[in-house]
Amino acid sequence: MSRLASRRTSHGPGAELELIDAVPVRHPWRWVGAAVILLVLILVIQSMTTNPKFYWGTFRTYLFDVLVIQGVGWTLILTVTSMIIAIVLAILLAFMRQSDNPLFRYVSWVWVWFFRGTPVYTQLLFWGSVGALYPKIIVGVPFGPELFSWDTATVINATVGAIVGLGLNESAYLAEIFRAGLKSVDNGQMEAAEALGMRRSKVMWRIILPQAMRVIIPPTGNETIGMLKTTSLVLAVPFTLDLTFVTNALASRTFLPIPLLMVAAFWYLVITSVLMVGQFYIERHFGKGVDNVTKAPVKATAAVAAAHAKPIDPADGTTEGGKP
Amino acid sequence: MTDTASINKHEATRVKPLVEIQGVHKLFGDHHVLKGIDMTVRQGEVSVIIGPSGSGKSTLLRCINLLETISAGRIYVHDDLIGFRDVNGKLHDLNTKQIAAQRREIGMVFQRFNLFPHKTALQNVIEAPTQVKRQSKAAAKLKALELLEMVGLSDRANFYPAQLSGGQQQRVAIARALAMEPELMLFDEPTSALDPELVGDVLEVMKNLAKSGMTMIVVTHEIGFAREVGDTLTFMDAGVVVESGNPRDIIANPQHHRTQEFLSRVL
């Protein structure tokens, strides 16, 4: 609720300009709303702190427990590595889907159809039992002699199974997000780049994808935060070191599920908050040239000053290109 | 303007046609857009194409650098058959690499500029030389700054397209196309998306380019530009060339009634 300070300013030689000093519209109900929200908040906090069944002492004991912190670490590792696999695959799948090559288009379509069409829990169970299905991984000539072989259980252990299972499933969802992003870029961009003699793959990577990232990042952030919670399904593999499994195990050991749920919730919230900060910076990076650009000053001298003040040096390789 | 004069390196072959369009047809499904276009553009010539919207003039331009594929006829640029390989009279599609190579010789300027919004003016200009011609960044930058100077925008090198006016964006787009040192420049209604007071700057750049000896095909509604700069004027309507010749003659004394009608509406 700010009011423009009443002031007179000189405008041109000898002229006096009176600026408008209007009374802004008042919004009393906003104050009422804020008061109600504050009251509810106080009540919730009061009830949580005074209710002994929350066992805040237990919460404090286990919040920084070694097993819990390790669980946080493993959950982070699962989230980040499976998302990296998913993003790399999704870029590939989205490019394939836009390709002139029908083989690429069909393969990409079938991949998305399959991994999106079966439950992630089932896929994780499969990766856990692949060792039973195929005890050995054999490299050799098809229908001919074998060259190398490994025990499946050592190659695809629980960690690899969990990461691969989550990553492949997620790649199908992300592929659609990336496809939508690529489609959102104006067709003229492709034409302009192709008219300059750029190959299609180069155009996709350097021109189309960096612009598509503006559209791709918010839903991908969404998916990453979703993945953080989906990692709790890895007990299907079975992988037993993640945050949910560890806190559940501790809960059944102490017979106090509520404080340990609170511990898990607390850490999920912390990780989500960190991810959101990361997303802010990534969005800002890919929004350059489009979001929050100031109009150029009119005077040439001022423009030069502005260009120098704002360090956008094209010689600096980090400011361009589209590596997500 | 010595830098752009050097682009025109085929002075000796001045009489020889650089662009030959022979009986070109274009169909979009059942829609017959180009109905047998013949046209010749000699080295260093400025060829202006006018005509009502939907006459097929933009489509013709887009066929020359393979943004569209022709349905019948032949297009040659510098004796190179555009888009196909002729093997004993049977045409074979070019692969993407060969198409990209042909496009490198032909610069294109679009109605809607199509600058890369995530790159500064300078980055826009050096993109193709560094990525396609594999020039060093330093060399490409030097050349790019020269080109931006030529279009009067050296003080805007580090601005993003969104920070530039339409006229400035279009001049950056011209510099970007020239950076690949093409032997032919195509302009697809380069001033149609501009505010009237910004048209002059772009036309001025194009005029200087024409003076430097660049071969240009310009689709435009700027009759003044056609009269002043054009070596030939082609009037197209409904997918055919209605009239073609000296721009001053045609504008002053159009032979065909459709040309008369069109000119009376735009002049």
Side-chain angles (χ1 to χ4, degrees):
Chain A
M1 295 261 180
S2 69
R3 290 181 65 184
L4 265 178
S6 166
R7 67 195 161 99
R8 281 164 184 276
T9 179
S10 66
H11 183 72
E16 282 254 303
L17 180 68
E18 194 177 350
L19 296 177
I20 291 172
D21 179 27
V23 177
V25 177
R26 304 291 181 195
H27 298 283
W29 284 104
R30 290 182 186 173
W31 290 102
V32 176
V36 169
I37 289 166
L38 197 65
L39 182 70
V40 170
L41 207 63
I42 288 168
L43 284 172
V44 167
I45 291 170
Q46 194 257 354
S47 87
M48 284 177 78
T49 47
T50 54
N51 187 340
K53 284 174 191 151
F54 275 104
Y55 295 101
W56 291 112
T58 314
F59 173 84
R60 274 191 294 277
T61 312
Y62 284 101
L63 190 58
F64 296 104
D65 187 277
V66 176
L67 285 172
V68 171
I69 296 299
Q70 280 176 348
V72 170
W74 276 110
T75 292
L76 258 179
I77 288 170
L78 291 181
T79 307
V80 171
T81 48
S82 60
M83 280 311 285
I84 288 171
I85 291 173
I87 287 169
V88 171
L89 285 173
I91 292 173
L92 205 66
L93 289 164
F95 281 3
M96 284 167 74
R97 194 66 190 276
Q98 305 256 307
S99 167
D100 288 333
N101 184 337
L103 204 61
F104 284 165
R105 287 202 304 271
Y106 296 143
V107 168
S108 172
W109 188 91
V110 170
W111 181 285
V112 171
W113 170 76
F114 180 79
F115 283 100
R116 207 173 51 168
T118 53
V120 61
Y121 194 81
T122 311
Q123 288 175 29
L124 287 168
L125 278 173
F126 170 82
W127 288 107
S129 47
V130 73
L133 283 166
Y134 300 99
K136 275 187 179 303
I137 297 173
I138 296 165
V139 175
V141 183
F143 309 109
E146 80 178 55
L147 302 174
F148 309 99
S149 73
W150 297 273
D151 281 336
T152 306
T154 56
V155 179
I156 304 177
N157 57 26
T159 314
V160 174
I163 290 169
V164 170
L166 292 172
L168 297 196
N169 178 261
E170 182 60 33
S171 73
Y173 291 95
L174 276 185
E176 287 295 282
I177 290 174
F178 275 68
R179 188 165 71 90
L182 296 180
K183 285 187 122 173
S184 76
V185 178
D186 179 42
N187 206 27
Q189 293 290 310
M190 176 64 89
E191 288 190 347
E194 285 195 329
L196 287 166
M198 289 172 81
R199 299 281 297 279
R200 209 182 166 94
S201 52
K202 194 151 245 175
V203 180
M204 286 305 245
W205 186 253
R206 294 191 51 88
I207 307 298
I208 308 295
L209 185 62
Q211 294 180 54
M213 288 311 276
R214 279 183 63 244
V215 178
I216 289 169
I217 285 160
T220 301
N222 219 11
E223 289 293 311
T224 309
I225 289 164
M227 175 63 85
L228 180 68
K229 271 67 77 66
T230 309
T231 56
S232 62
L233 295 179
V234 292
L235 76 132
V237 174
F239 182 92
T240 55
L241 297 168
D242 74 290
L243 185 57
T244 293
F245 193 93
V246 167
T247 49
N248 276 344
L250 289 171
S252 37
R253 197 199 293 167
T254 55
F255 300 106
L256 291 171
I258 298 292
L260 281 145
L261 282 177
M262 291 304 206
V263 169
F266 172 84
W267 282 114
Y268 281 123
L269 253 180
V270 168
I271 299 171
T272 301
S273 311
V274 172
L275 291 175
M276 284 168 74
V277 172
Q279 183 179 338
F280 170 82
Y281 285 103
I282 297 171
E283 268 183 42
R284 201 170 63 171
H285 172 76
F286 285 107
K288 74 178 162 18
V290 183
D291 300 325
N292 305 320
V293 284
T294 47
K295 277 282 167 197
V298 178
K299 273 188 193 154
T301 48
V304 172
H308 285 296
K310 225 164 101 197
I312 327 161
D313 185 6
D316 174 11
T318 56
T319 58
E320 62 169 313
K323 294 173 184 70
Chain B
M1 252 345 102
T2 49
D3 48 326
T4 45
S6 69
I7 292 168
N8 185 27
K9 39 201 178 277
H10 305 288
E11 289 289 337
T13 56
R14 195 166 191 104
V15 281
K16 210 176 166 338
L18 179 69
V19 183
E20 275 193 272
I21 298 169
Q22 304 170 348
V24 163
H25 287 255
K26 174 67 187 174
L27 291 106
F28 290 105
D30 289 337
H31 190 35
H32 206 156
V33 180
L34 298 178
K35 299 168 185 165
I37 304 287
D38 293 292
M39 200 174 152
T40 312
V41 182
R42 279 181 298 277
Q43 196 84 53
E45 197 174 73
V46 176
S47 178
V48 179
I49 306 175
I50 57 170
S53 57
S55 59
K57 53 197 194 311
S58 283
T59 306
L60 179 64
L61 211 60
R62 292 163 60 82
C63 286
I64 298 173
N65 79 342
L66 287 164
L67 288 176
E68 308 289 354
T69 326
I70 56 176
S71 312
R74 299 281 189 278
I75 298 177
Y76 294 93
V77 174
H78 217 254
D79 284 335
D80 246 358
L81 178 59
I82 291 293
F84 304 97
R85 207 156 37 90
D86 190 335
V87 184
N88 304 322
K90 178 76 190 155
L91 291 190
H92 295 243
D93 284 331
L94 292 184
N95 65 32
T96 51
K97 198 174 171 181
Q98 293 162 328
I99 289 173
Q102 286 191 336
R103 281 174 169 152
R104 260 165 242 171
E105 305 297 322
I106 305 168
M108 176 118 180
V109 174
F110 297 86
Q111 183 178 354
R112 304 234 38 113
F113 333 134
N114 293 349
L115 287 181
F116 308 134
H118 60 305
K119 290 177 183 294
T120 62
L122 186 63
Q123 287 172 337
N124 264 278
V125 180
I126 66 168
E127 177 68 13
T130 54
Q131 292 299 315
V132 178
K133 284 194 164 172
R134 297 254 157 243
Q135 284 178 10
S136 76
K137 217 165 214 175
K141 228 175 120 173
L142 216 65
K143 171 86 186 161
L145 287 171
E146 257 175 53
L147 287 167
L148 286 173
E149 170 94 56
M150 194 191 93
V151 298
L153 289 172
S154 41
D155 59 338
R156 295 289 198 266
N158 291 328
F159 283 79
Y160 285 102
Q163 296 170 307
L164 301 173
S165 73
Q168 291 171 336
Q169 287 189 54
Q170 192 59 298
R171 285 183 280 153
V172 173
I174 293 172
R176 179 176 68 173
L178 289 175
M180 287 298 282
E181 304 186 319
E183 49 184 357
L184 168 67
M185 283 285 283
L186 309 175
F187 293 85
D188 188 6
E189 304 199 22
T191 57
S192 297
L194 298 176
D195 289 339
E197 82 271 21
L198 302 175
V199 169
D201 290 340
V202 173
L203 290 182
E204 192 60 35
V205 166
M206 290 169 62
K207 222 176 284 176
N208 289 333
L209 195 59
K211 265 187 229 153
S212 76
M214 174 62 77
T215 314
M216 294 161 61
I217 305 179
V218 184
V219 168
T220 188
H221 292 295
E222 297 292 332
I223 304 297
F225 177 84
R227 183 164 37 205
E228 197 184 332
V229 185
D231 294 310
T232 57
L233 179 68
T234 303
F235 173 69
M236 280 177 70
D237 191 16
V240 294
V241 172
V242 176
E243 199 166 337
S244 179
N246 182 304
R248 285 153 291 277
D249 293 348
I250 291 182
I251 293 164
N253 188 19
Q255 297 301 307
H256 200 284
H257 75 92
R258 277 196 279 178
T259 319
Q260 291 164 7
E261 204 181 303
F262 177 76
L263 286 173
S264 71
R265 271 187 284 125
V266 295
L267 279 177

